[in-house]
Amino acid sequence: MRIMELLTDDPHPPGEAVGDPGPEPSTASWPRVLLAAALGPLITGYAAVATVLAVVALTAGRTAFSGTGVLLAAGPGWLAAHQVRLGIGGHPLGVLPLLPTLGVVALAARTASGAARRLGCRSFRAARPVLITITAAHAAFGLVLALCAKGSPVTANPAAAFAVPGLLAAAASAAGIIRSCGLPDALADRLDPLALRGLRTGAASLAILVAGGAAVFTVVTGVSWATVADTYEPGLGTSAGLFLLSLLYLPNAVTAAMSFVTGPGFSIGPLTVGVFGYHGGAVPAVPLLGGLPEHHAAWWPALLVLPAAAGALAGWSLRRADAEPAQRVRAVAIAGAVVALGCVVLGTLAGGRLGDGPFDPVSVPVGVASVVAFCWIVIPGSFVAFFAGEHEPPAPPPEALEDNEAFQDADDIDVQEASKAVEELEAAERASEEDAEFEAEADAELGLEDPALPRESALEEDGVVTGGTETCGDVEPDEGDR
């Protein structure tokens, strides 16, 4: 768990440069630095490819070494290292080794980062000349090599030779500049910290899936080492060539193993290998493929615990990303999207056409693999992030607090008015009771025993007329009164 958190915690906030870019360079140093950034990766990559070809030519038996032939053959080799599909004698070759591609991408990224530092660029905008220079140099060099290869046994499409190396160089240079100068301002302003956390977690999850595929490939190769050893032919040159071929295509095999671990699997011609299915077929006799199974095994579905664990680790690393569970689930979805995109890129680069023979094509089901990988990250990751994190309701905004206080004041006013009305009602009831008691006392003084008898009738019986001038019926008025 701690490893996942270390992988996803970024010590540098968005837009912050890593390291001190140093003092501002003089204007005269810009052309020199840009020229070195443009030519450095091209010369280094071409020399590396020529060195590998020279070693193969020197160790191969019954082959005459030619320096000029090696230099000429290094051109298509450079294009293959940049994933430009070739044509060999009219037959397509699209399954290109990924190990040289990783090398040239790392070289371009490091060159761009170093050039940005030497130029004192403190933002991505200031380092854009470095990005443009490296991209244009790779695209132009690829186009020149494709045009020079016309009419030779190994050819390349000029449009692809221009576009593909340029795109790879642009992506690698952008990554190096971001590492040195930070994200572009337009992108940094639009991305919130939670989205960045999801992006880093997705990259770490993709690395975990690749590591799982590499572990499965290593174990299978070790168990089948006897078969792997039988694929080597006698002779130092042939064995060295097969070993070098297997080494260059090792990332391709790891990508296929990752697709197998997640479920969809891969195919080589008629051979199809998946967790839930298997269809046999012939394979090339190279050491890299010596560990391929000959039949389906019932325990293969148990390997699905590896991608499920990767998704659970992603959710665990994001359990404290936000106090609201819905936001944590959104970060997990971003991580799943990064993993799906990575599977699309790796699956596309790992496969392709392999001539027109029985082993054509080599493919990874990119669409299915990306969807399945997304689900492996999002489903267990969302479950863990939702239930392992906080569940307290978020604090209401200030406007809601003001509205709540206003409602409380209104409630207090209503309570006061109701209390006042109750007091007035009680006072009126007490006054009514006092009037009733007074009338009862008056009736008792007049000798009214029957409360049902009307008051006027009772007074008339006593000779008291309420509405007239006489007060008593038996008393005659005095003369003086008359």
Side-chain angles (χ1 to χ4, degrees):
M1 305 300 179
R2 182 59 179 167
I3 295 176
M4 190 69 178
E5 293 179 357
L6 291 175
L7 288 174
T8 57
D9 291 337
D10 189 5
H12 304 284
E16 180 181 349
V18 181
D20 187 10
E24 286 287 345
S26 62
T27 307
S29 64
W30 274 81
R32 177 172 54 84
V33 173
L34 293 179
L35 182 62
L39 298 180
L42 302 182
I43 297 175
T44 304
Y46 198 90
V49 173
T51 301
V52 172
L53 294 178
V55 171
V56 172
L58 288 173
T59 56
R62 299 184 301 274
T63 301
F65 177 79
S66 173
T68 304
V70 169
L71 291 177
L72 293 177
W78 188 91
L79 292 176
H82 287 78
Q83 294 296 310
V84 178
R85 299 185 178 183
L86 304 176
I88 302 177
H91 301 286
L93 177 61
V95 185
L96 302 173
L98 278 177
L99 186 61
T101 304
L102 297 177
V104 296
V105 167
L107 179 61
R110 185 172 181 178
T111 301
S113 177
R117 290 178 183 274
R118 287 192 298 272
L119 293 174
C121 300
R122 293 178 172 84
S123 65
F124 191 92
R125 182 184 181 88
R128 283 191 301 181
V130 177
L131 172 66
I132 296 173
T133 300
I134 296 177
T135 302
H138 280 74
F141 191 62
L143 178 61
V144 170
L145 291 179
L147 294 177
C148 293
K150 279 190 174 182
S152 64
V154 182
T155 59
N157 187 353
F162 176 83
V164 177
L167 290 176
L168 283 178
S173 302
I177 294 173
I178 288 174
R179 183 62 183 170
S180 298
C181 305
L183 291 171
D185 296 336
L187 185 61
D189 295 339
R190 293 177 179 272
L191 290 178
D192 59 335
L194 188 64
L196 291 175
R197 184 73 179 273
L199 292 175
R200 292 194 298 269
T201 303
S205 301
L206 181 61
I208 291 175
L209 290 179
V210 172
V216 171
F217 174 79
T218 303
V219 172
V220 170
T221 303
V223 171
S224 306
W225 183 250
T227 305
V228 174
D230 292 339
T231 58
Y232 285 100
E233 298 181 3
L236 177 61
T238 305
S239 299
L242 290 175
F243 175 78
L244 181 61
L245 182 66
S246 299
L247 183 63
L248 295 177
Y249 280 93
L250 182 60
N252 302 62
V254 170
T255 302
M258 180 188 68
S259 180
F260 171 75
V261 168
T262 55
F266 59 93
S267 63
I268 302 176
L271 174 68
T272 303
V273 182
V275 171
F276 299 102
Y278 179 88
H279 185 275
V283 295
V286 295
L288 187 68
L289 304 178
L292 287 177
E294 298 180 356
H295 55 80
H296 183 269
W299 58 269
W300 284 358
L303 295 174
L304 297 177
V305 71
L306 295 178
L313 285 175
W316 182 261
S317 66
L318 294 172
R319 72 190 187 281
R320 298 177 182 174
D322 196 274
E324 189 175 353
Q327 296 299 321
R328 298 197 296 269
V329 173
R330 182 171 70 91
V332 173
I334 294 174
V338 172
V339 172
L341 179 61
C343 290
V344 170
V345 174
L346 292 177
T348 302
L349 296 179
R353 297 292 306 274
L354 189 58
D356 297 319
F359 312 124
D360 179 49
V362 178
S363 63
V364 173
V366 174
V368 178
S370 61
V371 173
V372 170
F374 177 82
C375 294
W376 279 123
I377 299 300
V378 172
I379 295 176
S382 300
F383 183 84
V384 174
F386 186 90
F387 290 101
E390 301 177 5
H391 285 80
E392 296 181 0
E399 295 80 3
L401 293 176
E402 293 177 359
D403 295 341
N404 192 16
E405 292 176 356
F407 288 145
Q408 291 179 356
D409 295 340
D411 293 340
D412 294 339
I413 294 173
D414 294 340
V415 171
Q416 293 176 1
E417 293 180 354
S419 300
K420 185 177 180 181
V422 170
E423 292 177 357
E424 292 178 355
L425 181 60
E426 291 178 352
E429 291 179 354
R430 286 195 298 270
S432 178
E433 291 177 356
E434 291 177 356
D435 293 341
E437 292 178 357
F438 176 77
E439 292 179 359
E441 291 177 357
D443 292 341
E445 291 178 357
L446 293 176
L448 296 177
E449 299 179 356
D450 189 2
L453 186 65
R455 185 176 182 84
E456 289 84 358
S457 301
L459 292 177
E460 289 177 358
E461 290 179 358
D462 289 339
V464 180
V465 179
T466 59
T469 58
E470 297 183 275
T471 61
C472 182
D474 297 337
V475 180
E476 295 290 336
D478 294 338
E479 293 180 358
D481 295 333
R482 292 178 183 175

